[in-house]
């Protein structure tokens, strides 16, 4: 399995806490807990040529992870087109936290992806689909003592499955872990992961992202075309 972790890698250069919490940057840290004997992981960032997502990279990527926040508009539209084409042919896509406003996620949803937000809340996550592959090994509920609150209404396309719900100590709730199918590709969105909090150090958060990669990995890639088709039977 081949995974590419994409990160805009800008907060890392401005806020020392980010690299203190996540050595190697968010991309390096996430890549670190995804690497296994059967999982090959590479990273790509905004400053790489073609955002690190040239055609040959995506052609060799089974699952793309996306973390972005402050420079969504800097991602080239041609890169977004390319990512969408690969998702539609079967590449998995896992969008994390503030990636809800990435061009890539907007393209997948077709909606504003707006939500309520406030940093500095305690979150209780609930596993509402315990038999889902992304929930393997995750308890019915666990807490993150300090995470950014994302609250409903979350303006997304209606999910195929809502695997996790988040509750925050301000009273808000959120569909924190959702799945969609787009063409032949599987898409998962997961809410925890603010750059100055410790969510990605949490063993359950790591397990959910590991599970999501395995769930989203295509069995095969098939480009969807629209051919004129001759009858097979007389
Ligand atoms: Zn955030």
């Amino acid at each position: 399995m081949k995974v590419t972790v994409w990160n805009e890698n800008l907060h890392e250069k401005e806020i020392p806490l980010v690299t203190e919490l996540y050595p190697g940057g968010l991309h390096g840290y996430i890549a670190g807990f995804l690497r296994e004997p059967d999982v090959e992981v590479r990273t790509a960032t905004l400053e790489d040529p073609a955002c690190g997502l040239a055609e040959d990279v995506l052609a060799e990527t089974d699952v793309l992870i996306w973390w972005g926040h402050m420079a969504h508009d800097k991602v080239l539209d041609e890169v977004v087109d390319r990512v969408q084409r690969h998702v539609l042919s079967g590449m998995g896509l896992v969008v994390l936290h503030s990636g809800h406003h990435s061009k890539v996620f907007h393209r997948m949803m077709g909606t504003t992806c707006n939500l309520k937000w406030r940093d500095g809340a305690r979150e209780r996550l609930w596993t509402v689909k315990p038999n889902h592959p992304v929930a393997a090994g995750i308890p019915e509920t666990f807490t993150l003592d300090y995470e950014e609150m994302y609250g409903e209404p979350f303006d997304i396309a209606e999910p195929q499955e809502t695997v996790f719900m988040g509750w925050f100590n301000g009273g808000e709730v959120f569909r924190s872990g959702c799945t969609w199918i787009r063409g032949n590709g599987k898409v998962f969105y997961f809410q925890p992961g603010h750059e100055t909090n410790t969510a990605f150090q949490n063993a359950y958060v790591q397990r959910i992202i590991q599970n999501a990669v395995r769930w989203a990995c295509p069995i095969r890639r098939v480009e969807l075309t629209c051919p004129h088709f001759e009858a097979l039977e007389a």
Side-chain angles (χ1 to χ4, degrees):
M1 195 184 316
K2 290 181 176 171
V3 177
T4 299
V5 181
W6 191 90
N7 173 26
E8 64 182 21
N9 193 31
L10 294 176
H11 289 300
E12 284 84 346
K13 293 167 184 166
E14 295 180 352
I15 311 171
L17 177 60
V18 179
T19 43
E20 282 167 33
L21 293 173
Y22 301 121
L26 284 160
H27 51 301
Y29 190 88
I30 292 167
F33 66 72
L34 290 177
R35 255 178 215 116
E36 289 186 68
D38 63 336
V39 184
E40 195 179 301
V41 187
R42 72 165 100 187
T43 62
T45 65
L46 183 63
E47 67 191 349
D48 296 331
C51 300
L53 299 175
E55 178 63 29
D56 60 326
V57 173
L58 291 175
E60 289 185 2
T61 297
D62 293 311
V63 181
L64 176 65
I65 312 261
W66 197 278
W67 197 101
H69 179 222
M70 61 188 284
H72 295 313
D73 60 320
K74 301 285 192 300
V75 175
L76 301 171
D77 289 335
E78 66 189 56
V79 171
V80 179
D81 293 343
R82 200 178 296 141
V83 169
Q84 179 187 30
R85 180 163 47 78
H86 280 277
V87 170
L88 295 178
S89 73
M91 181 181 75
L93 175 67
V94 176
V95 176
L96 299 172
H97 188 62
S98 43
H100 72 94
H101 265 333
S102 63
K103 285 184 182 178
V104 161
F105 192 61
H106 280 191
R107 179 73 65 86
M108 293 302 149
M109 294 293 107
T111 56
T112 66
C113 303
N114 283 335
L115 45 74
K116 294 189 177 74
W117 61 277
R118 178 183 69 253
D119 194 23
R122 180 166 174 271
E123 177 172 14
R124 177 172 288 281
L125 278 138
W126 288 92
T127 305
V128 294
K129 269 205 176 293
N131 199 32
H132 195 280
V134 179
I138 305 303
E140 181 179 24
T141 182
F142 66 98
T143 58
L144 298 172
D145 285 337
Y146 197 94
E147 184 46 270
E148 186 170 26
M149 183 283 292
Y150 276 10
E152 297 283 347
F154 186 19
D155 182 25
I156 45 176
E158 191 62 25
Q160 168 142 327
E161 300 156 312
T162 301
V163 186
F164 302 102
M165 291 286 301
W167 169 89
F168 298 86
N169 63 343
E172 305 87 357
V173 293
F174 193 69
R175 288 168 288 174
S176 290
C178 300
T179 74
W180 298 264
I181 304 292
R182 289 293 181 266
N184 285 325
K186 294 178 177 175
V187 178
F188 181 67
Y189 172 81
F190 193 48
Q191 161 264 318
H194 186 68
E195 66 275 6
T196 54
N197 300 337
T198 56
F200 291 128
Q201 295 178 3
N202 181 283
Y204 294 134
V205 169
Q206 294 184 7
R207 179 70 192 270
I208 288 166
I209 298 168
Q210 291 161 353
N211 288 344
V213 165
R214 291 188 182 275
W215 168 80
C217 185
I219 292 164
R220 58 181 169 168
R221 300 273 276 268
V222 180
E223 195 168 338
L224 294 165
T225 58
C226 196
H228 176 261
F229 196 71
E230 300 295 339
L232 299 177
E233 311 283 340

